[in-house]
């Protein structure tokens, strides 16, 4: 029975991924900050899920948790770097620097750090890494300044890992979703109305859609690597170029 470590399982895509992988017969190590949600997910999924409570930015807490894994969960075959966030929609000149640094610390630094820690074990087991990027990595939009840049990093880091890991048997995939209706926008804006307006009438993707895609990637034969996978709901496409008209 293979084991996946999924970061950020207390909501959205991470929570759906924990359910999908356990349902497919995997053991899952799920990390998150919210003890109550971790406990509820553990109650739901049972012994196949081992939960770890820590902030992904806290390396000392993370290392203590990972180093204390029970024997049955120590052999990790798949790392899913799902934990991340977006803060603010202001233009760069009006944005809060604290929002920028929090996104960089969470979406980049923490992802890089946990990947570095687990890479030797993943190489030894010829495992896999799935990194959650975004269409924002490729298509800029007003207010996406640092968030989009962090997701571009995730995409490029994934591709560069592929270059370094050639011959190791380790597979790496960048998953790049468009509009997925989760708590994501509510957290970003703090407004239920804004979130409802964004997704209204779009028939957006769900967390379960992305979780199923991650599971599909993980289940491909070991000689096949999905480098990057971009997904959008049918009702989303590319915006026209922005134009500012003077006068």
């Amino acid at each position: 029975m293979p084991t996946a470590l999924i970061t950020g399982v207390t909501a959205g895509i991470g929570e759906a991924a924990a359910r999908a992988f356990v349902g497919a017969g995997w053991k899952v190590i799920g990390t998150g900050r919210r003890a109550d949600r971790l406990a509820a997910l553990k109650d739901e999924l049972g012994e196949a899920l081992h939960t770890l409570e820590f902030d992904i930015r806290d390396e000392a807490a993370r290392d203590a948790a990972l180093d204390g894994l029970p024997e049955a969960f120590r052999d990790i075959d798949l790392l899913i770097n799902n934990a991340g966030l977006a803060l603010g929609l202001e233009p760069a000149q009006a944005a809060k620097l604290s929002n920028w640094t929090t996104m960089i610390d969470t979406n980049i630094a923490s992802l890089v750090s946990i990947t570095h820690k687990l890479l030797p074990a993943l190489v030894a087991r010829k495992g896999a890494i799935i990194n959650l990027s975004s269409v924002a990595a490729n298509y800029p939009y007003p207010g996406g300044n640092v968030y989009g840049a962090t997701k571009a990093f995730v995409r490029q880091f994934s591709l560069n890992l592929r270059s370094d890991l050639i011959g190791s048997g380790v597979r790496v995939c960048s998953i790049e979703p468009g509009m997925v209706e989760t708590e994501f926008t509510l957290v970003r804006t703090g407004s239920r109305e804004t979130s409802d307006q964004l997704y209204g009438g779009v028939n957006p993707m769900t967390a379960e859609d992305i979780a199923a895609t991650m599971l599909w990637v993980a289940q491909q034969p070991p000689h096949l690597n999905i480098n990057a996978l971009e997904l959008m709901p049918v009702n989303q496409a590319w915006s026209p170029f922005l134009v500012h008209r003077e006068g």
Side-chain angles (χ1 to χ4, degrees), residues 221-245:
H223 71 278
L224 174 62
N225 194 88
I226 309 298
N227 295 330
L229 195 54
E230 182 181 289
L231 306 93
M232 286 183 177
V234 171
N235 289 336
Q236 181 185 22
W238 300 271
S239 297
F241 283 114
L242 290 173
V243 176
H244 171 71
R245 301 187 187 280

Side-chain angles (χ1 to χ4, degrees), residues 87-217:
L87 297 172
L89 280 168
E90 303 85 0
Q93 65 272 26
K96 294 179 180 178
L97 180 58
S98 61
N99 283 347
W100 285 6
T101 56
T102 298
M103 286 187 282
I104 292 168
D105 289 345
T106 305
N107 300 354
I108 295 179
S110 297
L111 181 149
V112 165
S113 181
I114 194 169
T115 301
H116 184 267
K117 180 173 179 62
L118 294 180
L119 264 176
L122 291 168
V123 169
R125 295 186 63 78
K126 298 185 185 298
I129 300 168
I130 295 175
N131 291 325
L132 185 64
S133 180
S134 168
V135 295
N138 295 315
Y139 312 116
Y141 61 90
N145 37 68
V146 168
Y147 172 71
T150 65
K151 291 304 184 179
F153 177 93
V154 171
R155 172 184 167 82
Q156 193 62 30
F157 180 58
S158 302
L159 297 178
N160 278 285
L161 280 175
R162 284 274 292 123
S163 294
D164 286 347
L165 291 166
I166 192 76
S168 71
V170 176
R171 297 179 291 160
V172 186
C173 178
S174 173
I175 301 285
E176 300 162 9
M179 296 178 73
V180 183
E181 187 170 12
T182 64
E183 295 178 12
F184 180 87
T185 300
L186 183 59
V187 171
R188 185 175 197 176
T189 66
S191 168
R192 170 59 65 184
E193 181 181 0
T194 300
S195 180
D196 290 345
Q197 287 176 349
L198 177 65
Y199 296 114
V202 174
N203 193 18
M205 296 183 292
T206 66
E208 289 72 24
D209 293 331
I210 309 307
T213 302
M214 290 175 168
L215 180 60
W216 175 79
V217 168

